[in-house]
Amino acid sequence: MASSDIGLILENSKELDRLRKEQEEVLLEINKMHKKLQATPEVVEKPGDTSLAKLKTLYTQAKELSESEVSVSSTLLTQLDTLLPSGPPGQQRRRIEGNDQKRKRIKADSDISRLSPAVRSQLEACASLKGEQVAARVTGDNAEKDEWFVVKVIHFDRETKEFEVLDEEPGDDEESGGQRKYKLPMSCIIPFPKRNDPSSAPDFPPGRHVLAVYPGTTALYKATVVSPLRKRKIDDYLLEFDDDEEDGALPQRIVPFYKVVPLPEGHRQ
């Protein structure tokens, strides 16, 4: 084993460390932009605002850094495989089998570690929702309209990026009459704001369309913010719910901030 080979490994290790540090810096900037847009989403509608362009640039940087990290990691693995001793002939099969098993064991962790910091942060946030109530779309993509319920997160699979959730209070018209479980992709889940952390909740101005829990139920319906008097993030919303009643009535109800989420793009009423 030549010292030059070790030197190349150490050099690539330093490059890997530099890439990861740079990724962390980009992630910090992305998180700052996320907080800014969450607190004041209306800023993107102002003429001359470049928030979304900056966010796109940061995402591009994170993607490029992630791809570079994968490339350097692959080079390091190749260098190490070349330098590792093969061992006595009698141990060859055992060594290979052991390496295969080891690779299988670390596959999930290595796949996650190769993701960009932004994606890793998103997966960690999803995993942290276990035991929490969230808004979930339980209808398929080809359904005529969306159905959203309040469900409890049972598990999040980092590999498949799917949630397993439980509808604890299905309606009386459910055939089974009991609790129902669903496996849903990340795109079908919206976390509710934390009741004890109003600062993390988005602020919806009057006229904004949202999804909200109708008082006394566990169903979510499309509604419009009508309250002009809300001054603090902990204040309740006055919402006007869409209604399919024959008389066309649009009931107005008071709903706590932690039971209101953004209306998803492409929502089918």
Side-chain angles (χ1 to χ4, degrees), residues 51-75:
S51 299
L52 295 182
K54 290 179 181 178
L55 193 57
K56 180 180 178 180
T57 299
L58 289 170
Y59 281 148
T60 301
Q61 290 177 356
K63 178 177 179 294
E64 292 173 350
L65 288 168
S66 178
E67 291 172 348
S68 298
E69 180 186 352
V70 171
S71 176
V72 175
S73 297
S74 298
T75 301

PDB file of all heavy atoms in Angstrom, residues 51-75:
ATOM      1  N   SER A  51     -37.831  36.754  -3.541  1.00  0.00           N
ATOM      2  CA  SER A  51     -37.730  35.665  -2.555  1.00  0.00           C
ATOM      3  C   SER A  51     -37.720  34.296  -3.211  1.00  0.00           C
ATOM      4  O   SER A  51     -36.897  33.436  -2.894  1.00  0.00           O
ATOM      5  CB  SER A  51     -38.876  35.758  -1.552  1.00  0.00           C
ATOM      6  OG  SER A  51     -38.828  36.979  -0.836  1.00  0.00           O
ATOM      7  N   LEU A  52     -38.655  34.064  -4.144  1.00  0.00           N
ATOM      8  CA  LEU A  52     -38.741  32.751  -4.773  1.00  0.00           C
ATOM      9  C   LEU A  52     -37.528  32.464  -5.651  1.00  0.00           C
ATOM     10  O   LEU A  52     -37.052  31.328  -5.714  1.00  0.00           O
ATOM     11  CB  LEU A  52     -40.026  32.651  -5.602  1.00  0.00           C
ATOM     12  CG  LEU A  52     -41.336  32.711  -4.802  1.00  0.00           C
ATOM     13  CD1 LEU A  52     -42.533  32.557  -5.732  1.00  0.00           C
ATOM     14  CD2 LEU A  52     -41.373  31.622  -3.737  1.00  0.00           C
ATOM     15  N   ALA A  53     -37.002  33.510  -6.314  1.00  0.00           N
ATOM     16  CA  ALA A  53     -35.801  33.322  -7.136  1.00  0.00           C
ATOM     17  C   ALA A  53     -34.604  32.957  -6.264  1.00  0.00           C
ATOM     18  O   ALA A  53     -33.795  32.084  -6.618  1.00  0.00           O
ATOM     19  CB  ALA A  53     -35.501  34.598  -7.931  1.00  0.00           C
ATOM     20  N   LYS A  54     -34.479  33.612  -5.103  1.00  0.00           N
ATOM     21  CA  LYS A  54     -33.392  33.285  -4.173  1.00  0.00           C
ATOM     22  C   LYS A  54     -33.529  31.862  -3.661  1.00  0.00           C
ATOM     23  O   LYS A  54     -32.541  31.127  -3.543  1.00  0.00           O
ATOM     24  CB  LYS A  54     -33.394  34.271  -3.010  1.00  0.00           C
ATOM     25  CG  LYS A  54     -32.972  35.684  -3.378  1.00  0.00           C
ATOM     26  CD  LYS A  54     -33.026  36.609  -2.166  1.00  0.00           C
ATOM     27  CE  LYS A  54     -32.623  38.026  -2.532  1.00  0.00           C
ATOM     28  NZ  LYS A  54     -32.723  38.957  -1.373  1.00  0.00           N
ATOM     29  N   LEU A  55     -34.782  31.459  -3.351  1.00  0.00           N
ATOM     30  CA  LEU A  55     -35.012  30.109  -2.844  1.00  0.00           C
ATOM     31  C   LEU A  55     -34.660  29.069  -3.905  1.00  0.00           C
ATOM     32  O   LEU A  55     -34.061  28.027  -3.591  1.00  0.00           O
ATOM     33  CB  LEU A  55     -36.477  29.963  -2.435  1.00  0.00           C
ATOM     34  CG  LEU A  55     -36.839  28.731  -1.594  1.00  0.00           C
ATOM     35  CD1 LEU A  55     -36.018  28.680  -0.317  1.00  0.00           C
ATOM     36  CD2 LEU A  55     -38.316  28.731  -1.254  1.00  0.00           C
ATOM     37  N   LYS A  56     -34.988  29.345  -5.163  1.00  0.00           N
ATOM     38  CA  LYS A  56     -34.651  28.425  -6.241  1.00  0.00           C
ATOM     39  C   LYS A  56     -33.135  28.280  -6.372  1.00  0.00           C
ATOM     40  O   LYS A  56     -32.605  27.181  -6.560  1.00  0.00           O
ATOM     41  CB  LYS A  56     -35.252  28.910  -7.558  1.00  0.00           C
ATOM     42  CG  LYS A  56     -34.948  27.988  -8.733  1.00  0.00           C
ATOM     43  CD  LYS A  56     -35.555  28.502 -10.017  1.00  0.00           C
ATOM     44  CE  LYS A  56     -35.190  27.572 -11.177  1.00  0.00           C
ATOM     45  NZ  LYS A  56     -35.770  28.044 -12.458  1.00  0.00           N
ATOM     46  N   THR A  57     -32.421  29.419  -6.252  1.00  0.00           N
ATOM     47  CA  THR A  57     -30.957  29.376  -6.330  1.00  0.00           C
ATOM     48  C   THR A  57     -30.372  28.531  -5.200  1.00  0.00           C
ATOM     49  O   THR A  57     -29.457  27.730  -5.413  1.00  0.00           O
ATOM     50  CB  THR A  57     -30.387  30.804  -6.242  1.00  0.00           C
ATOM     51  OG1 THR A  57     -30.889  31.580  -7.341  1.00  0.00           O
ATOM     52  CG2 THR A  57     -28.866  30.780  -6.312  1.00  0.00           C
ATOM     53  N   LEU A  58     -30.921  28.683  -4.007  1.00  0.00           N
ATOM     54  CA  LEU A  58     -30.438  27.904  -2.863  1.00  0.00           C
ATOM     55  C   LEU A  58     -30.721  26.411  -3.056  1.00  0.00           C
ATOM     56  O   LEU A  58     -29.874  25.565  -2.749  1.00  0.00           O
ATOM     57  CB  LEU A  58     -31.102  28.403  -1.573  1.00  0.00           C
ATOM     58  CG  LEU A  58     -30.651  29.779  -1.078  1.00  0.00           C
ATOM     59  CD1 LEU A  58     -31.550  30.272   0.046  1.00  0.00           C
ATOM     60  CD2 LEU A  58     -29.201  29.729  -0.597  1.00  0.00           C
ATOM     61  N   TYR A  59     -31.899  26.075  -3.569  1.00  0.00           N
ATOM     62  CA  TYR A  59     -32.223  24.675  -3.831  1.00  0.00           C
ATOM     63  C   TYR A  59     -31.258  24.091  -4.877  1.00  0.00           C
ATOM     64  O   TYR A  59     -30.834  22.938  -4.772  1.00  0.00           O
ATOM     65  CB  TYR A  59     -33.657  24.542  -4.345  1.00  0.00           C
ATOM     66  CG  TYR A  59     -34.720  24.607  -3.275  1.00  0.00           C
ATOM     67  CD1 TYR A  59     -35.976  25.145  -3.535  1.00  0.00           C
ATOM     68  CD2 TYR A  59     -34.475  24.132  -1.990  1.00  0.00           C
ATOM     69  CE1 TYR A  59     -36.956  25.203  -2.555  1.00  0.00           C
ATOM     70  CE2 TYR A  59     -35.449  24.191  -1.007  1.00  0.00           C
ATOM     71  CZ  TYR A  59     -36.682  24.725  -1.297  1.00  0.00           C
ATOM     72  OH  TYR A  59     -37.644  24.787  -0.335  1.00  0.00           O
ATOM     73  N   THR A  60     -30.947  24.901  -5.897  1.00  0.00           N
ATOM     74  CA  THR A  60     -30.021  24.442  -6.929  1.00  0.00           C
ATOM     75  C   THR A  60     -28.646  24.173  -6.338  1.00  0.00           C
ATOM     76  O   THR A  60     -27.990  23.160  -6.648  1.00  0.00           O
ATOM     77  CB  THR A  60     -29.915  25.492  -8.049  1.00  0.00           C
ATOM     78  OG1 THR A  60     -31.212  25.723  -8.614  1.00  0.00           O
ATOM     79  CG2 THR A  60     -28.972  25.022  -9.147  1.00  0.00           C
ATOM     80  N   GLN A  61     -28.178  25.095  -5.459  1.00  0.00           N
ATOM     81  CA  GLN A  61     -26.884  24.894  -4.807  1.00  0.00           C
ATOM     82  C   GLN A  61     -26.889  23.628  -3.960  1.00  0.00           C
ATOM     83  O   GLN A  61     -25.925  22.850  -3.984  1.00  0.00           O
ATOM     84  CB  GLN A  61     -26.556  26.105  -3.934  1.00  0.00           C
ATOM     85  CG  GLN A  61     -26.241  27.378  -4.716  1.00  0.00           C
ATOM     86  CD  GLN A  61     -26.006  28.560  -3.798  1.00  0.00           C
ATOM     87  OE1 GLN A  61     -26.141  28.463  -2.588  1.00  0.00           O
ATOM     88  NE2 GLN A  61     -25.648  29.687  -4.383  1.00  0.00           N
ATOM     89  N   ALA A  62     -27.988  23.417  -3.215  1.00  0.00           N
ATOM     90  CA  ALA A  62     -28.083  22.223  -2.369  1.00  0.00           C
ATOM     91  C   ALA A  62     -28.043  20.952  -3.222  1.00  0.00           C
ATOM     92  O   ALA A  62     -27.388  19.968  -2.851  1.00  0.00           O
ATOM     93  CB  ALA A  62     -29.361  22.272  -1.544  1.00  0.00           C
ATOM     94  N   LYS A  63     -28.715  20.973  -4.362  1.00  0.00           N
ATOM     95  CA  LYS A  63     -28.735  19.805  -5.255  1.00  0.00           C
ATOM     96  C   LYS A  63     -27.333  19.524  -5.812  1.00  0.00           C
ATOM     97  O   LYS A  63     -26.875  18.374  -5.820  1.00  0.00           O
ATOM     98  CB  LYS A  63     -29.720  20.048  -6.396  1.00  0.00           C
ATOM     99  CG  LYS A  63     -29.796  18.929  -7.428  1.00  0.00           C
ATOM    100  CD  LYS A  63     -30.861  19.242  -8.465  1.00  0.00           C
ATOM    101  CE  LYS A  63     -30.950  18.142  -9.532  1.00  0.00           C
ATOM    102  NZ  LYS A  63     -29.726  18.078 -10.358  1.00  0.00           N
ATOM    103  N   GLU A  64     -26.641  20.580  -6.255  1.00  0.00           N
ATOM    104  CA  GLU A  64     -25.304  20.404  -6.817  1.00  0.00           C
ATOM    105  C   GLU A  64     -24.318  19.898  -5.766  1.00  0.00           C
ATOM    106  O   GLU A  64     -23.485  19.027  -6.040  1.00  0.00           O
ATOM    107  CB  GLU A  64     -24.815  21.728  -7.414  1.00  0.00           C
ATOM    108  CG  GLU A  64     -25.599  22.146  -8.661  1.00  0.00           C
ATOM    109  CD  GLU A  64     -25.211  23.534  -9.148  1.00  0.00           C
ATOM    110  OE1 GLU A  64     -24.482  24.246  -8.412  1.00  0.00           O
ATOM    111  OE2 GLU A  64     -25.630  23.906 -10.264  1.00  0.00           O
ATOM    112  N   LEU A  65     -24.419  20.436  -4.551  1.00  0.00           N
ATOM    113  CA  LEU A  65     -23.538  19.982  -3.480  1.00  0.00           C
ATOM    114  C   LEU A  65     -23.813  18.523  -3.126  1.00  0.00           C
ATOM    115  O   LEU A  65     -22.888  17.747  -2.849  1.00  0.00           O
ATOM    116  CB  LEU A  65     -23.708  20.875  -2.241  1.00  0.00           C
ATOM    117  CG  LEU A  65     -23.133  22.288  -2.356  1.00  0.00           C
ATOM    118  CD1 LEU A  65     -23.622  23.152  -1.198  1.00  0.00           C
ATOM    119  CD2 LEU A  65     -21.613  22.251  -2.371  1.00  0.00           C
ATOM    120  N   SER A  66     -25.095  18.158  -3.112  1.00  0.00           N
ATOM    121  CA  SER A  66     -25.455  16.773  -2.808  1.00  0.00           C
ATOM    122  C   SER A  66     -24.898  15.821  -3.856  1.00  0.00           C
ATOM    123  O   SER A  66     -24.374  14.752  -3.530  1.00  0.00           O
ATOM    124  CB  SER A  66     -26.975  16.645  -2.723  1.00  0.00           C
ATOM    125  OG  SER A  66     -27.348  15.311  -2.475  1.00  0.00           O
ATOM    126  N   GLU A  67     -25.007  16.207  -5.128  1.00  0.00           N
ATOM    127  CA  GLU A  67     -24.482  15.369  -6.201  1.00  0.00           C
ATOM    128  C   GLU A  67     -22.960  15.249  -6.107  1.00  0.00           C
ATOM    129  O   GLU A  67     -22.395  14.170  -6.342  1.00  0.00           O
ATOM    130  CB  GLU A  67     -24.889  15.950  -7.554  1.00  0.00           C
ATOM    131  CG  GLU A  67     -26.391  15.842  -7.825  1.00  0.00           C
ATOM    132  CD  GLU A  67     -26.813  16.586  -9.074  1.00  0.00           C
ATOM    133  OE1 GLU A  67     -25.996  17.378  -9.601  1.00  0.00           O
ATOM    134  OE2 GLU A  67     -27.972  16.389  -9.525  1.00  0.00           O
ATOM    135  N   SER A  68     -22.284  16.343  -5.743  1.00  0.00           N
ATOM    136  CA  SER A  68     -20.825  16.302  -5.574  1.00  0.00           C
ATOM    137  C   SER A  68     -20.451  15.398  -4.412  1.00  0.00           C
ATOM    138  O   SER A  68     -19.470  14.650  -4.475  1.00  0.00           O
ATOM    139  CB  SER A  68     -20.278  17.716  -5.333  1.00  0.00           C
ATOM    140  OG  SER A  68     -20.523  18.558  -6.438  1.00  0.00           O
ATOM    141  N   GLU A  69     -21.254  15.454  -3.342  1.00  0.00           N
ATOM    142  CA  GLU A  69     -20.984  14.603  -2.178  1.00  0.00           C
ATOM    143  C   GLU A  69     -21.091  13.128  -2.549  1.00  0.00           C
ATOM    144  O   GLU A  69     -20.252  12.314  -2.142  1.00  0.00           O
ATOM    145  CB  GLU A  69     -21.980  14.928  -1.060  1.00  0.00           C
ATOM    146  CG  GLU A  69     -21.765  14.086   0.194  1.00  0.00           C
ATOM    147  CD  GLU A  69     -22.847  14.310   1.229  1.00  0.00           C
ATOM    148  OE1 GLU A  69     -23.674  15.223   1.035  1.00  0.00           O
ATOM    149  OE2 GLU A  69     -22.863  13.573   2.222  1.00  0.00           O
ATOM    150  N   VAL A  70     -22.101  12.778  -3.340  1.00  0.00           N
ATOM    151  CA  VAL A  70     -22.264  11.387  -3.774  1.00  0.00           C
ATOM    152  C   VAL A  70     -21.079  10.953  -4.627  1.00  0.00           C
ATOM    153  O   VAL A  70     -20.558   9.842  -4.479  1.00  0.00           O
ATOM    154  CB  VAL A  70     -23.586  11.222  -4.557  1.00  0.00           C
ATOM    155  CG1 VAL A  70     -23.661   9.836  -5.190  1.00  0.00           C
ATOM    156  CG2 VAL A  70     -24.784  11.440  -3.648  1.00  0.00           C
ATOM    157  N   SER A  71     -20.622  11.839  -5.513  1.00  0.00           N
ATOM    158  CA  SER A  71     -19.497  11.520  -6.394  1.00  0.00           C
ATOM    159  C   SER A  71     -18.218  11.267  -5.594  1.00  0.00           C
ATOM    160  O   SER A  71     -17.512  10.279  -5.820  1.00  0.00           O
ATOM    161  CB  SER A  71     -19.278  12.664  -7.388  1.00  0.00           C
ATOM    162  OG  SER A  71     -18.144  12.423  -8.189  1.00  0.00           O
ATOM    163  N   VAL A  72     -17.931  12.151  -4.628  1.00  0.00           N
ATOM    164  CA  VAL A  72     -16.716  11.988  -3.814  1.00  0.00           C
ATOM    165  C   VAL A  72     -16.826  10.737  -2.939  1.00  0.00           C
ATOM    166  O   VAL A  72     -15.853   9.992  -2.768  1.00  0.00           O
ATOM    167  CB  VAL A  72     -16.474  13.241  -2.944  1.00  0.00           C
ATOM    168  CG1 VAL A  72     -15.292  13.021  -2.009  1.00  0.00           C
ATOM    169  CG2 VAL A  72     -16.204  14.453  -3.829  1.00  0.00           C
ATOM    170  N   SER A  73     -18.016  10.478  -2.387  1.00  0.00           N
ATOM    171  CA  SER A  73     -18.211   9.287  -1.560  1.00  0.00           C
ATOM    172  C   SER A  73     -17.982   8.016  -2.369  1.00  0.00           C
ATOM    173  O   SER A  73     -17.357   7.066  -1.889  1.00  0.00           O
ATOM    174  CB  SER A  73     -19.631   9.275  -0.974  1.00  0.00           C
ATOM    175  OG  SER A  73     -19.835  10.374  -0.113  1.00  0.00           O
ATOM    176  N   SER A  74     -18.470   7.997  -3.609  1.00  0.00           N
ATOM    177  CA  SER A  74     -18.280   6.833  -4.471  1.00  0.00           C
ATOM    178  C   SER A  74     -16.801   6.614  -4.776  1.00  0.00           C
ATOM    179  O   SER A  74     -16.309   5.477  -4.798  1.00  0.00           O
ATOM    180  CB  SER A  74     -19.059   7.010  -5.782  1.00  0.00           C
ATOM    181  OG  SER A  74     -20.440   7.119  -5.526  1.00  0.00           O
ATOM    182  N   THR A  75     -16.085   7.718  -5.000  1.00  0.00           N
ATOM    183  CA  THR A  75     -14.638   7.619  -5.256  1.00  0.00           C
ATOM    184  C   THR A  75     -13.916   7.049  -4.049  1.00  0.00           C
ATOM    185  O   THR A  75     -13.033   6.181  -4.180  1.00  0.00           O
ATOM    186  CB  THR A  75     -14.072   9.007  -5.595  1.00  0.00           C
ATOM    187  OG1 THR A  75     -14.733   9.525  -6.757  1.00  0.00           O
ATOM    188  CG2 THR A  75     -12.569   8.928  -5.874  1.00  0.00           C
TER     189      THR A  75
END
